[in-house]
Amino acid sequence: MGLINIRLGDYIERSTINNKDLKYGVDLIVGVNSQGVFATPKGNTDGVDLKPYKIVENGAFVYNPTRLELGSIAYRTEGLCIVSHLYMVFYLTDEGKKIIDPMWLYIYFRRSEFCREVTFRNFGSQRPEFNFNDMSDIVIPLPDIEIQKKYVDVYNAMLENQKSYERGLDDLKLVCDAYIEDLRRQMPCEAIGPYIEERNEKNIDNAIDLFQGVNVDHVFTEPKRVAEDSENGSVVRTGQFAFNKVMKAHNTKLPIALREGPDCVVSNSYQVFEVTNTSKLLSKYLLLWLNRDETQRYAGFISFGTTRDIFTFKDMKEISIPIPEIKIQQCIVDIFSCYQARCDINEQLKAQIKDVCPILIKGSIEEVTKAKEA
């Protein structure tokens, strides 16, 4: 067959089959993130009407029509699930399966070049939405299916290597969590109040120009809005904690992080404190406890407010944790530091897999071209 240009719409069919009989429950709800994978939605699904949710089976492509330019498209291989009615779902037709390897097509979608094409086609729209007709109009240069499979094998080998590494991460996290849980059961808990002190240092004369916020993943990030004058902001020194007093995600997330980079400034909605008795309590050990889901939910439980629930520094002081001797704390911190380092490596592996997508597509197309020239 060589290399041919196909209109994608001639080889795919849309699916609108929904969960009208309520056969499937909230445990099967997933979304598609910008990494091109299915993920559990972050929002609260209690009381959601599941009838309009679309049914997705193996072999389906699912994408968010308003976020496709960000890479929000995935290929289903993990069994049946349901997605929001706002998603587009399509399958290869029988004719399409004869000439298109679905994983090759997924790799094609994962390229930044495809995302730019989506952006270009959406240009001028007040609310860009890449609907099924737009997807159908995509023209793809398609090599022989055997050549497609050859490059898919390379992709799958890299993906399996990353997944294997990720499974090892889960085991390491389990060890760390189990160690912490054993401490909670074996020794009494103490309020952390005597070990920490509030800090309220202002950014006099705007001496520090690095403005930061803290997200629900407990990481310092660029804030969505930067104050023109940060003089009234609170300074966060290296080794200090900062947390947003306003609870997030239906009172299950307290955005808190330990500053390990250069000094920065946060808004007045944040509280800043530090550990003052480091001979008894390590900051990183405390961070592990504060970032646990159980602690986050407890913070939401004791927070208060009318329009927003607030968690104050006084509330923080009342949190109780087991405080073993420093050597044990350091061992736990070391295990978790190893876990974090491996998480970073795993993210690098994911980035490499995404970066190789355009190389694989280009290679498969060029192989056909070179074969014809020979």
Side-chain angles (χ1 to χ4, degrees):
M1 182 179 71
L3 185 69
I4 61 171
N5 290 324
I6 66 164
R7 177 181 175 273
L8 189 57
D10 297 332
Y11 299 95
I12 62 175
E13 55 187 356
R14 182 181 177 185
S15 174
T16 58
I17 300 174
N18 59 29
N19 191 33
K20 62 181 180 180
D21 297 327
L22 294 177
K23 186 177 180 180
Y24 306 108
V26 294
D27 56 314
L28 291 177
I29 296 177
V30 296
V32 178
N33 62 25
S34 59
Q35 300 302 311
V37 297
F38 291 95
T40 303
K42 295 181 179 179
N44 187 1
T45 56
D46 292 342
V48 172
D49 182 9
L50 298 181
K51 288 184 179 180
Y53 272 63
K54 294 178 181 176
I55 298 173
V56 177
E57 300 190 62
N58 283 345
F61 288 87
V62 182
Y63 72 91
N64 186 331
T66 62
R67 292 177 57 85
L68 184 57
E69 76 280 2
L70 301 178
S72 295
I73 184 168
Y75 177 63
R76 190 65 181 176
T77 59
E78 298 88 6
L80 187 144
C81 65
I82 57 176
V83 298
S84 166
H85 68 283
L86 298 176
Y87 281 96
M88 292 289 173
V89 180
F90 68 87
Y91 297 82
L92 289 174
T93 63
D94 290 339
E95 190 64 28
K97 293 175 184 177
K98 295 177 183 179
I99 65 171
I100 303 173
D101 185 292
M103 280 303 296
W104 186 91
L105 182 59
Y106 172 70
I107 296 170
Y108 187 92
F109 291 146
R110 290 298 298 151
R111 301 172 309 133
S112 57
E113 291 88 341
F114 176 74
C115 293
R116 287 196 294 269
E117 181 175 357
V118 171
T119 301
F120 175 77
R121 288 173 178 266
N122 276 338
F123 179 76
S125 175
Q126 184 177 6
R127 181 178 173 81
E129 183 171 320
F130 204 80
N131 59 40
F132 184 70
N133 289 334
D134 296 321
M135 180 65 79
S136 297
D137 287 338
I138 293 288
V139 175
I140 294 178
L142 191 71
D144 292 334
I145 193 166
E146 292 304 318
I147 292 178
Q148 295 175 43
K149 292 181 182 296
K150 175 181 174 181
Y151 286 86
V152 166
D153 288 343
V154 175
Y155 180 86
N156 284 337
M158 294 182 66
L159 189 62
E160 181 55 36
N161 179 55
Q162 181 268 319
K163 292 295 184 183
S164 176
Y165 191 88
E166 196 165 63
R167 287 191 289 270
L169 274 178
D170 293 337
D171 293 339
L172 188 58
K173 181 68 162 55
L174 185 63
V175 170
C176 188
D177 290 344
Y179 204 163
I180 288 178
E181 190 62 25
D182 284 344
L183 280 178
R184 188 183 66 82
R185 292 175 179 176
Q186 295 174 8
M187 64 183 303
C189 294
E190 300 179 47
I192 63 174
Y195 302 96
I196 62 176
E197 286 186 9
E198 183 179 7
R199 296 289 180 257
N200 192 24
E201 181 184 354
K202 295 303 178 183
N203 190 28
I204 306 302
D205 297 327
N206 293 314
I208 300 173
D209 58 6
L210 178 59
F211 210 86
Q212 295 275 272
V214 177
N215 62 22
V216 294
D217 295 319
H218 317 299
V219 176
F220 281 94
T221 60
E222 292 290 330
K224 294 181 179 179
R225 291 180 297 174
V226 179
E228 295 181 2
D229 182 6
S230 63
E231 199 169 70
N232 292 323
S234 299
V235 173
V236 186
R237 302 289 183 183
T238 302
Q240 294 180 342
F241 290 83
F243 70 89
N244 192 327
K245 293 176 285 188
V246 181
M247 294 295 300
K248 307 293 184 183
H250 302 281
N251 289 355
T252 61
K253 293 290 185 180
L254 175 68
I256 183 169
L258 175 65
R259 188 64 182 171
E260 298 185 82
D263 298 344
C264 67
V265 181
V266 294
S267 79
N268 286 326
S269 65
Y270 285 84
Q271 199 85 52
V272 180
F273 70 93
E274 66 179 308
V275 174
T276 54
N277 192 345
T278 55
S279 63
K280 293 290 186 179
L281 179 63
L282 296 179
S283 296
K284 288 188 176 182
Y285 173 78
L286 175 58
L287 181 67
L288 286 177
W289 279 94
L290 296 180
N291 287 354
R292 296 179 77 223
D293 290 340
E294 294 84 351
T295 308
Q296 298 275 304
R297 288 195 294 269
Y298 173 74
F301 176 74
I302 65 174
S303 61
F304 67 94
T306 51
T307 57
R308 297 182 297 176
D309 288 314
I310 305 299
F311 183 80
T312 66
F313 181 69
K314 181 181 178 182
D315 298 322
M316 178 66 73
K317 293 171 68 176
E318 295 176 0
I319 287 180
S320 296
I321 65 173
I323 304 179
E325 59 181 89
I326 287 294
K327 288 183 179 179
I328 295 178
Q329 293 183 42
Q330 188 61 58
C331 287
I332 296 174
V333 168
D334 289 344
I335 294 173
F336 192 76
S337 295
C338 180
Y339 168 74
Q340 286 184 310
R342 288 175 176 264
C343 282
D344 292 339
I345 294 173
N346 189 48
E347 291 304 313
Q348 292 173 18
L349 289 174
K350 289 181 180 179
Q352 289 173 0
I353 292 174
K354 187 176 187 301
D355 290 342
V356 82
C357 288
I359 298 173
L360 294 175
I361 296 299
K362 183 180 179 182
S364 64
I365 293 173
E366 288 184 348
E367 183 168 335
V368 177
T369 304
K370 290 178 180 179
K372 289 179 65 176
E373 292 176 350

